Amino acid sequence: CLLEKVVVFCAAQTCCKMKTRIRKRWDSLNSSFWVSPLVMMALAVLLWRGTATLDHVLSIGDKKDIAWLYISDADSMRALLLTIAIAIIGVVGVVFTIIMVPLSIAATPFGPRLLRNFLIETGTQVTLGTFNATFIFCMAVLLQLSNSAIIQLPQISVNISLLLGIIRFGVLLYFVTHIAVSLHAPV
C-alpha cells in the first residue's frame, strides 16, 4: 500500500514537472518574435503553391484570359510584383525602425518589460508576419515568372499579390494606430 502511494506521488510529481516544462516551452515560443511571422511565411508559400496550381489548371483547360483579372505581358507583371515587394520591405524597415525610438524612450522609466510586451504582442507579430508573407509570396510568383518558356501567365497569382499588397496598407494603418494607443499614457 505504501509502495503504491509512493508510485502515485512520483507519477504526479513527474506529470507536474512535465506540465511546467511544456508551459515554459509554450511561453518561450509564444514570446518569441519570430514564430508567428515564420508560420505566416510558410502559409504564404502554401498559398503560392495553391494559386500556381490554379493558374496551371486554367492554362490546361485552354481557357482564354479572364477579363476582370490583371492581364498584361510578363514584363509588366514582373514590374508590378517587384514594386509590391520593394514597397513592402521598405515599409517594414522604416516603420519598425521608427517605432523603436518611442519604445526605447518609453522603456527608460518603465524598464525593459515594455519592449518585451511590444515584441510578444499578437498585433506586432501578425503585422510583421503579414508583411513578410506578402514579400515571400511576391518573390515566389516572380520565380514562377522567371521561366522564359511560360505558356500561360500566372494571372491569379499576380492578382492575389496585388490584393495582398493593398490589404497590407490597411494592416499598416492598424499597426500605427495600435502602437499610438498602446504608448498613450493613462491620465
Side-chain angles (χ1 to χ4, degrees):
C1 188
L2 180 62
L3 183 62
E4 289 177 8
K5 287 182 181 181
V6 169
V7 169
V8 169
F9 177 75
C10 289
Q13 289 295 336
T14 305
C15 183
C16 185
K17 287 179 183 178
M18 190 167 47
K19 284 181 182 179
T20 304
R21 281 190 211 133
I22 290 172
R23 283 186 190 139
K24 185 177 179 183
R25 189 70 60 163
W26 178 253
D27 184 51
S28 173
L29 282 175
N30 196 24
S31 63
S32 294
F33 193 55
W34 60 270
V35 174
S36 294
L38 187 64
V39 168
M40 295 178 101
M41 288 188 291
L43 290 174
V45 171
L46 290 175
L47 177 65
W48 167 71
R49 284 304 310 151
T51 58
T53 303
L54 192 58
D55 283 326
H56 181 70
V57 166
L58 288 177
S59 70
I60 288 177
D62 199 30
K63 302 208 178 203
K64 293 188 176 192
D65 292 334
I66 302 169
W68 53 273
L69 291 177
Y70 179 80
I71 302 170
S72 189
D73 58 345
D75 290 332
S76 297
M77 287 183 174
R78 281 187 198 99
L80 176 69
L81 290 167
L82 278 173
T83 303
I84 293 169
I86 291 169
I88 292 293
I89 288 301
V91 165
V92 166
V94 169
V95 167
F96 277 87
T97 302
I98 290 174
I99 293 296
M100 284 301 162
V101 173
L103 281 173
S104 298
I105 292 170
T108 302
F110 297 113
R113 283 186 302 163
L114 180 69
L115 290 176
R116 183 178 186 274
N117 289 342
F118 168 73
L119 292 176
I120 66 171
E121 272 188 353
T122 305
T124 304
Q125 292 181 1
V126 167
T127 301
L128 180 65
T130 57
F131 278 103
N132 289 345
T134 302
F135 176 77
I136 295 295
F137 186 82
C138 288
M139 290 293 108
V141 177
L142 273 170
L143 283 174
Q144 185 180 356
L145 276 171
S146 68
N147 185 3
S148 60
I150 54 174
I151 299 169
Q152 184 76 15
L153 294 175
Q155 290 181 318
I156 295 175
S157 299
V158 171
N159 281 289
I160 295 294
S161 297
L162 185 59
L163 182 64
L164 288 174
I166 291 168
I167 290 171
R168 292 314 166 240
F169 285 103
V171 171
L172 175 67
L173 291 175
Y174 156 76
F175 180 68
V176 170
T177 305
H178 173 70
I179 291 301
V181 168
S182 67
L183 288 179
H184 182 68
V187 178

